């Protein structure tokens, strides 16, 4: 099936740990994104990559480091996890960046709980 | 910074009724998009309206855009229990990422 997939779906971990979330899209899109959705459902962009290059880096702590080995994958590594990192993280992709009429395709989300 | 702001925050209606959600934004846009998010799932694109369009239809969805008032509305006609979800507007302003609002949580009661 063509889609944006993320693993894991749920992630429960202790404060201070390091964890990674993986994202893959097989839609042939050039651009991928990471969003954070807090408990109030507010969706905030964190990063965007276009053809493996970082193009958007919003005000995100440098404990968060995205990595794009190829344009179909965008992984998110988080160091020294904090309680406030608990949220749902969504990966998304779009055909191009700033394409005007491009829509975004979202993955199912990864619910991160930091204890 | 947040661009879109949906109103109301939550809406509860009976099956068969129409649901109207509004979105206001602050700066000029190229287009405005509406997305739906079912509980525990990712967002799904519903409809896109360009800045030079005033109204667009897709099945039971009707979207309007008033650029002079910087506002848009999403109308779902003849609602069904399966329409229960959160609805987000997102604005595109050229070579920038989509900016999402906080969403309207719609509950359709059977």
């Amino acid at each position: 099936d063509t889609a944006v997939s993320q693993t894991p779906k749920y992630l429960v971990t202790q404060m201070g740990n390091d964890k990674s979330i993986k994202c893959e899209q097989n839609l042939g899109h050039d651009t991928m994104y990471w969003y954070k959705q807090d408990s109030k459902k507010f969706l905030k962009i964190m990063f965007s990559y276009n053809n493996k290059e970082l193009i958007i880096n919003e005000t995100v702590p440098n404990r968060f480091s995205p990595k794009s080995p190829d344009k179909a994958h965008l992984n998110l590594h988080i160091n020294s996890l904090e309680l406030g990192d608990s949220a749902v993280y969504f990966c998304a992709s779009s055909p191009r960046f700033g394409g005007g009429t491009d829509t975004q395709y979202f993955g199912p989300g990864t619910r991160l709980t930091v204890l | 910074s947040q661009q879109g702001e949906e109103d109301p925050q939550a809406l509860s209606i009976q099956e068969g009724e129409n649901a109207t959600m509004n979105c206001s934004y602050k700066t000029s846009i190229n287009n405005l998009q509406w997305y739906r998010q079912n509980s525990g799932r990712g967002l799904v694109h519903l409809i896109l309206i360009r800045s030079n369009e005033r109204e667009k239809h897709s099945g039971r969805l009707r979207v309007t855009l008033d650029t002079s008032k910087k506002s848009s509305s999403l109308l779902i006609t003849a609602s069904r229990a399966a329409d229960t979800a959160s609805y987000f507007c997102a604005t595109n302003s050229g070579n920038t990422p989509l900016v999402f609002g906080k969403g309207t949580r719609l509950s359709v009661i059977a």
Side-chain angles (χ1 to χ4, degrees):
Chain A
D1 287 350
T2 54
V4 180
S5 58
Q6 294 177 229
T7 54
K9 189 165 173 60
Y10 300 97
L11 187 52
V12 181
T13 188
Q14 298 287 332
M15 239 178 7
N17 284 351
D18 303 339
K19 290 293 178 186
S20 291
I21 308 172
K22 295 186 176 181
C23 178
E24 176 181 0
Q25 56 94 3
N26 58 6
L27 297 164
H29 290 169
D30 284 347
T31 308
M32 296 184 72
Y33 311 82
W34 276 111
Y35 289 89
K36 179 180 180 181
Q37 188 173 45
D38 62 25
S39 57
K40 295 182 179 178
K41 302 294 185 187
F42 181 44
L43 196 68
K44 184 175 168 62
I45 189 164
M46 301 172 68
F47 302 102
S48 178
Y49 269 71
N50 190 56
N51 272 318
K52 302 192 298 175
E53 287 191 22
L54 180 66
I55 51 174
I56 292 171
N57 182 352
E58 293 293 304
T59 310
V60 177
N62 57 14
R63 298 181 294 104
F64 291 78
S65 53
K67 282 191 173 50
S68 182
D70 55 63
K71 75 173 192 178
H73 295 85
L74 180 61
N75 304 322
L76 183 65
H77 188 74
I78 315 170
N79 289 329
S80 303
L81 278 155
E82 300 177 358
L83 293 176
D85 297 332
S86 294
V88 182
Y89 292 84
F90 287 99
C91 177
S93 71
S94 64
R96 303 162 293 169
F97 178 70
T101 58
D102 284 354
T103 60
Q104 293 191 10
Y105 296 76
F106 282 77
T110 295
R111 181 174 293 277
L112 171 65
T113 302
V114 182
L115 303 174
Chain B
S1 62
Q2 186 183 340
Q3 170 79 302
E5 190 95 17
E6 289 90 344
D7 165 58
Q9 289 187 4
L11 178 62
S12 185
I13 60 174
Q14 296 287 328
E15 207 166 28
E17 293 180 340
N18 295 342
T20 300
M21 288 158 270
N22 302 298
C23 170
S24 59
Y25 57 92
K26 295 174 184 169
T27 63
S28 61
I29 60 170
N30 284 356
N31 66 68
L32 186 145
Q33 305 178 28
W34 284 92
Y35 287 77
R36 183 187 73 225
Q37 184 181 29
N38 289 87
S39 180
R41 310 288 284 273
L43 278 73
V44 174
H45 177 257
L46 293 176
I47 195 166
L48 178 151
I49 186 164
R50 292 182 173 83
S51 59
N52 61 354
E53 297 176 314
R54 292 296 166 259
E55 190 170 310
K56 204 160 182 182
H57 296 254
S58 176
R60 293 183 297 112
L61 305 181
R62 173 177 167 251
V63 169
T64 62
L65 179 64
D66 186 335
T67 52
S68 66
K69 294 181 180 176
K70 292 188 170 58
S71 68
S72 172
S73 68
L74 171 67
L75 168 68
I76 304 174
T77 60
S79 64
R80 305 167 182 167
D83 295 328
T84 294
S86 291
Y87 292 82
F88 294 85
C89 68
T91 52
N92 175 282
S93 303
N95 205 31
T96 56
L98 285 181
V99 180
F100 288 83
K102 291 183 180 177
T104 291
R105 195 168 60 253
L106 173 66
S107 299
V108 180
I109 302 164

